[in-house]
Amino acid sequence: MTPKSDVKVKKLRKPSTSGPILLENRDNTICYLNSALNLLYTIKDIRHYLATGDLKNDFILKEVKSIFNGKRSARKLVNLLNMRHGAQSCHEVVKKIVRLLPPDIQCSLSLQHQKMTRCEKCGEKLLPRKKMVQSVEILLPEDKPYTLKKLLMNQSTPRSCTKYREVQEVFDVYRVTVDSKTMIVNVLQSDPMEIKNLDTDGVMEVFGGKWVLRAAIIYLPDTNRKYDYGENGHSISWTKHGQKWYRVSDDKSEEFEKFDASRLDVEMMIFERV
């Protein structure tokens, strides 16, 4: 259930690049989709393509364009994406939409990683192969918090020879392509854990470039004592437009000078190259 806010909120309005999009969620089942759309709305290349590109008969992208232009409901998009109502993956929404974009737009969003196959029987490395992906996935360790930079640069599966299992795929090195303007980061974790030094207003140097955080999706669990989020919890987005941060919960928006990401359950992040 979406909580009542003590802060005066803005009414539904036609969105612009000066602020976030605000979407209805009458039965509290599509907060994940609303948050994912706000994340995508911060990416300039996607906004420009939807505004000027030839979408032909792509009904999904046409519906996203309508939402970016001010349509208040994303319910039709749920059916077009073949997503179920209720708790769903923000990651999956972003991937499904990004895959429909032209190759040059995908290239501006993509990260290239080296996909290396290792035999679990003897630990022998097989021939590596390269593949384009739309996001970086980081797994937060259970023992202690790390800095975001260390998490991004040190995502490798532990190497051990168990001898009697099938071949496993080990994702070793992520590299941003020279055309990458946007870095999409998926955070994989079973429980909320702090990411140290997640400076939401600073510049992060990683993958040979400088990046600033533009958006994040935060998961609010159903165990919150103050609010009743329902059995599936609730997803909200934090997006930066101009010099302001906006906390958006479906059709409600609060404006802040800063975004404090400490001690929050971060699901996704969008970084822009500077």
Side-chain angles (χ1 to χ4, degrees):
M1 178 182 295
T2 306
K4 294 182 178 179
S5 174
D6 297 329
V7 182
K8 185 178 180 181
V9 298
K10 300 176 182 179
K11 296 180 180 180
L12 286 169
R13 58 176 173 75
K14 184 176 180 179
S16 69
T17 54
S18 62
I21 54 176
L22 307 175
L23 294 165
E24 294 173 342
N25 185 13
R26 295 177 182 176
D27 52 3
N28 301 307
T29 59
I30 59 171
C31 59
Y32 70 94
L33 180 59
N34 292 348
S35 295
L37 289 171
N38 260 297
L39 228 69
L40 292 173
Y41 186 65
T42 64
I43 301 175
K44 298 175 184 176
D45 284 354
I46 294 181
R47 291 202 310 270
H48 179 74
Y49 173 70
L50 293 180
T52 62
D54 182 8
L55 304 183
K56 298 180 180 179
N57 293 321
D58 195 317
F59 298 107
I60 292 177
L61 291 183
K62 286 183 176 179
E63 186 63 18
V64 175
K65 178 179 180 178
S66 296
I67 292 170
F68 281 12
N69 285 338
K71 185 175 181 178
R72 303 192 310 180
S73 174
R75 196 157 300 279
K76 181 179 179 180
L77 189 59
V78 172
N79 298 324
L80 290 173
L81 290 171
N82 196 27
M83 305 289 290
R84 301 189 307 275
H85 294 269
Q88 296 291 306
S89 170
C90 301
H91 307 167
E92 191 63 25
V93 171
V94 170
K95 287 182 179 180
K96 283 187 174 185
I97 294 176
V98 166
R99 287 170 184 162
L100 299 174
L101 299 171
D104 60 325
I105 303 296
Q106 289 194 39
C107 190
S108 74
L109 304 175
S110 294
L111 297 176
Q112 187 180 53
H113 71 256
Q114 185 181 40
K115 190 174 184 181
M116 185 174 294
T117 305
R118 176 183 290 273
C119 178
E120 286 192 346
K121 290 184 179 181
C122 62
E124 179 184 357
K125 294 181 181 179
L126 303 180
L127 291 176
R129 58 185 189 272
K130 295 179 180 179
K131 178 184 178 183
M132 296 300 296
V133 294
Q134 280 79 39
S135 64
V136 174
E137 293 183 342
I138 61 175
L139 179 62
L140 296 186
E142 296 181 358
D143 54 348
K144 60 182 179 180
Y146 283 92
T147 65
L148 178 61
K149 183 173 181 178
K150 184 173 181 179
L151 286 168
L152 289 171
M153 299 299 291
N154 188 31
Q155 287 301 305
S156 59
T157 302
R159 290 163 171 75
S160 61
C161 181
T162 55
K163 293 186 178 180
Y164 300 108
R165 295 183 182 178
E166 297 178 356
V167 172
Q168 71 174 354
E169 293 178 335
V170 179
F171 294 83
D172 284 326
V173 182
Y174 289 88
R175 298 193 306 275
V176 176
T177 66
V178 294
D179 296 320
S180 298
K181 300 176 183 177
T182 303
M183 179 166 61
I184 305 174
V185 179
N186 292 338
V187 182
L188 309 178
Q189 57 189 20
S190 57
D191 296 301
M193 182 174 289
E194 177 186 357
I195 300 176
K196 292 175 60 178
N197 302 329
L198 179 52
D199 186 351
T200 57
D201 290 308
V203 177
M204 180 177 67
E205 294 189 37
V206 66
F207 298 124
K210 296 181 178 180
W211 307 85
V212 293
L213 183 68
R214 291 300 184 197
I217 293 178
I218 306 299
Y219 175 70
L220 305 175
D222 57 358
T223 55
N224 189 294
R225 296 180 179 179
K226 186 175 181 180
Y227 300 115
D228 178 13
Y229 293 122
E231 61 179 353
N232 295 320
H234 186 60
S235 293
I236 65 172
S237 64
W238 281 82
T239 55
K240 191 173 186 179
H241 299 273
Q243 300 301 314
K244 302 289 187 179
W245 280 96
Y246 294 85
R247 181 188 188 274
V248 177
S249 176
D250 296 323
D251 62 348
K252 298 175 177 61
S253 172
E254 301 169 28
E255 187 178 294
F256 295 86
E257 295 294 329
K258 290 187 176 294
F259 165 38
D260 182 6
S262 63
R263 302 183 182 279
L264 294 178
D265 188 350
V266 183
E267 288 191 83
M268 295 190 72
M269 292 177 281
I270 296 287
F271 288 87
E272 183 179 276
R273 188 192 290 270
V274 294

